[in-house]
Amino acid sequence: MPIRYPNGKPYVPSAKNQLASQKQKSYSNRGMTLEEDINQSNTYYLSTGKAVIHKKPTPVQIVNVDYPKRSAAVIKEAYFKQASTTDYNGVYNGRYIDFEAKETRNKTSFPLSNFHEHQITHMQQIHEQNGICFVLLRFSITDQVYYLDASHLFTYWNTMKDGGRKSIKKEDIEKQGILIPYTFQPRIDYIKIIDRMYFN
Amino acid sequence: MPIRYPNGKPYVPSAKNQLASQKQKSYSNRGMTLEEDINQSNTYYLSTGKAVIHKKPTPVQIVNVDYPKRSAAVIKEAYFKQASTTDYNGVYNGRYIDFEAKETRNKTSFPLSNFHEHQITHMQQIHEQNGICFVLLRFSITDQVYYLDASHLFTYWNTMKDGGRKSIKKEDIEKQGILIPYTFQPRIDYIKIIDRMYFN
């Protein structure tokens, strides 16, 4: 049986990305997903004492569990639940960090359909509590990752809800966001951006 | 089939607690578990814009998923994983909040067996990042909930690892911790304690 994402789409290791990255600079994405790159970065931050950021477990509604004698409980029936928060959170220098990571194969804009209403609501709540809240947006064809403060995302989201554009133009992300160059360790050094924006 | 906790213990609605609480002051625990009380408090904090604190989903290792046509994916085989962090985290006033909640039926001390090594390690990492980190300890017989800063827990944990006591004496919790009286809304107002300790 092929491995699939929770949304049912089959997981296909991306050979195209590998090719694309070989043409680019040395530390670019070697067929790793954005999630893998972020997990590697978080592991690096944790092991070096730089920050403590974890990915939240996938929320699952458990319906039926079997308790065999002398062995571990087996979940026999469960369903994927929609997350009510973002995927990543943690602490850096006492401050609360919260973000979502998304990628697109689109070249000229980032579709807002990558986000759900409840995630935007969550990010607004975090913003109001003075948490550091942002999104990491990856253009997978050109293998570029941008840091975009959540406040910008709220503006585009509200415009869409008022009947406007359903995506963010790449040129706007280039202006309002910050390109994060791939590095060896961590792969995506988003804490460096946070340092520059909040601690200098 | 009876409902059970992930550790296999059957869930028994506690009639004894209900009786105990009726003898006590008005807002004491009416047979609710500590988790239910905290969830209610977090919902209250969220709806009033006071703080954004969520319980993390139970981590589950998914082994087999069925994708029926025209209906939701069904997880057919999965196992409970041990969490590598605490159960609750979030943001208050920009600061990172992280805690674990545990209860005991013991009257005179709180057994350290309620915690796992990896949870202590996680709390130490949070502490080093200047996050606000604590435990909520409930003595279920007397229906008392204490806020205890994680730094105290580390001391008891290290003593135990050096061959010392395997529990924290209740009198020490009374001295070093802070009793949180039950209130109507939120049920357990731990943010009030944080306010007093960090924002005054």
Side-chain angles (χ1 to χ4, degrees):
Chain A
M1 209 188 107
I3 299 168
R4 286 166 191 268
Y5 289 110
N7 65 7
K9 285 187 193 156
Y11 167 73
V12 183
S14 167
K16 259 198 186 164
N17 285 355
Q18 280 182 313
L19 281 177
S21 70
Q22 278 161 16
K23 291 180 205 147
Q24 305 218 345
K25 63 188 175 306
S26 53
Y27 293 124
S28 61
N29 199 292
R30 300 182 187 82
M32 288 173 92
T33 64
L34 181 57
E35 181 179 329
E36 287 168 332
D37 281 336
I38 292 169
N39 289 346
Q40 188 264 26
S41 304
N42 290 344
T43 302
Y44 176 82
Y45 290 143
L46 190 65
S47 66
T48 56
K50 182 80 179 165
V52 184
I53 318 277
H54 288 280
K55 185 173 192 294
K56 289 193 179 181
T58 306
V60 155
Q61 179 71 49
I62 296 163
V63 175
N64 191 359
V65 185
D66 209 24
Y67 297 90
K69 278 181 192 160
R70 271 180 271 274
S71 59
V74 189
I75 300 164
K76 288 289 193 184
E77 185 186 355
Y79 299 88
F80 293 104
K81 278 199 295 190
Q82 206 167 51
S84 55
T85 65
T86 47
D87 273 358
Y88 302 90
N89 76 357
V91 58
Y92 173 59
N93 230 333
R95 292 291 299 272
Y96 177 79
I97 308 292
D98 193 300
F99 66 97
E100 186 64 40
K102 297 287 184 189
E103 41 194 331
T104 186
R105 295 193 67 76
N106 214 310
K107 283 179 193 177
T108 54
S109 68
F110 206 97
L112 289 164
S113 57
N114 279 286
F115 299 96
H116 303 289
E117 181 77 43
H118 60 267
Q119 287 180 321
I120 304 290
T121 303
H122 171 75
M123 287 192 267
Q124 281 165 340
Q125 289 163 342
I126 297 303
H127 201 251
E128 278 157 29
Q129 274 302 321
N130 202 22
I132 296 173
C133 190
F134 57 93
V135 286
L136 295 180
L137 305 177
R138 177 170 178 250
F139 289 92
S140 55
I141 301 288
T142 50
D143 204 9
Q144 292 166 304
V145 178
Y146 288 89
Y147 175 109
L148 185 70
D149 194 84
S151 57
H152 296 300
L153 181 63
F154 303 154
T155 308
Y156 293 110
W157 189 263
N158 290 335
T159 303
M160 179 185 72
K161 283 177 72 179
D162 291 343
R165 278 187 71 91
K166 292 191 171 86
S167 65
I168 315 174
K169 281 186 206 162
K170 193 177 175 190
E171 58 189 80
D172 289 334
I173 295 174
E174 284 165 351
K175 271 182 226 151
Q176 297 173 331
I178 298 164
L179 180 69
I180 311 180
Y182 280 102
T183 43
F184 178 57
Q185 274 202 328
R187 299 269 305 147
I188 299 173
D189 196 358
Y190 60 88
I191 291 287
K192 201 174 186 175
I193 312 288
I194 293 173
D195 253 340
R196 207 195 298 168
M197 291 183 66
Y198 293 90
F199 293 95
N200 272 345
Chain B
M1 207 188 108
I3 298 169
R4 286 166 190 265
Y5 290 109
N7 64 7
K9 283 188 192 154
Y11 167 73
V12 182
S14 167
K16 259 196 185 166
N17 285 355
Q18 280 181 314
L19 280 175
S21 69
Q22 278 160 16
K23 290 178 206 150
Q24 305 218 343
K25 61 186 178 306
S26 53
Y27 294 124
S28 61
N29 199 292
R30 299 183 187 81
M32 289 172 91
T33 63
L34 181 57
E35 180 178 329
E36 287 167 333
D37 281 336
I38 292 170
N39 289 345
Q40 188 264 24
S41 305
N42 290 345
T43 301
Y44 176 82
Y45 289 143
L46 190 65
S47 66
T48 55
K50 183 80 178 165
V52 184
I53 318 276
H54 288 280
K55 184 175 192 294
K56 290 193 180 181
T58 306
V60 155
Q61 179 71 49
I62 297 163
V63 175
N64 191 0
V65 185
D66 209 24
Y67 297 89
K69 279 181 192 160
R70 274 180 270 275
S71 60
V74 190
I75 299 163
K76 288 289 192 186
E77 185 187 355
Y79 298 89
F80 294 104
K81 277 198 296 190
Q82 205 167 51
S84 55
T85 66
T86 48
D87 273 358
Y88 303 90
N89 76 358
V91 58
Y92 173 59
N93 230 334
R95 292 290 300 270
Y96 177 78
I97 308 293
D98 193 299
F99 66 97
E100 187 65 41
K102 297 286 184 189
E103 41 194 331
T104 185
R105 296 193 65 79
N106 214 310
K107 285 177 192 175
T108 54
S109 67
F110 205 97
L112 288 165
S113 57
N114 280 285
F115 299 95
H116 302 290
E117 181 77 42
H118 60 267
Q119 287 180 320
I120 304 289
T121 303
H122 171 74
M123 288 192 265
Q124 282 166 338
Q125 289 163 343
I126 297 303
H127 201 252
E128 278 157 30
Q129 274 303 322
N130 202 21
I132 295 173
C133 191
F134 57 93
V135 288
L136 296 180
L137 304 177
R138 178 171 179 248
F139 288 92
S140 56
I141 302 288
T142 52
D143 204 8
Q144 293 166 304
V145 178
Y146 288 89
Y147 175 109
L148 185 70
D149 193 84
S151 57
H152 296 300
L153 181 62
F154 303 155
T155 308
Y156 293 110
W157 189 262
N158 291 335
T159 303
M160 179 186 73
K161 284 178 72 180
D162 291 343
R165 278 187 70 93
K166 292 192 171 84
S167 65
I168 315 175
K169 280 186 206 162
K170 193 178 175 189
E171 58 190 81
D172 289 334
I173 294 174
E174 285 165 351
K175 271 181 227 153
Q176 298 173 331
I178 298 165
L179 180 69
I180 311 181
Y182 280 100
T183 44
F184 178 56
Q185 274 202 328
R187 301 269 305 145
I188 299 173
D189 196 359
Y190 61 86
I191 291 287
K192 201 174 186 175
I193 313 287
I194 293 172
D195 253 342
R196 205 195 300 168
M197 291 183 65
Y198 292 90
F199 294 95
N200 273 343

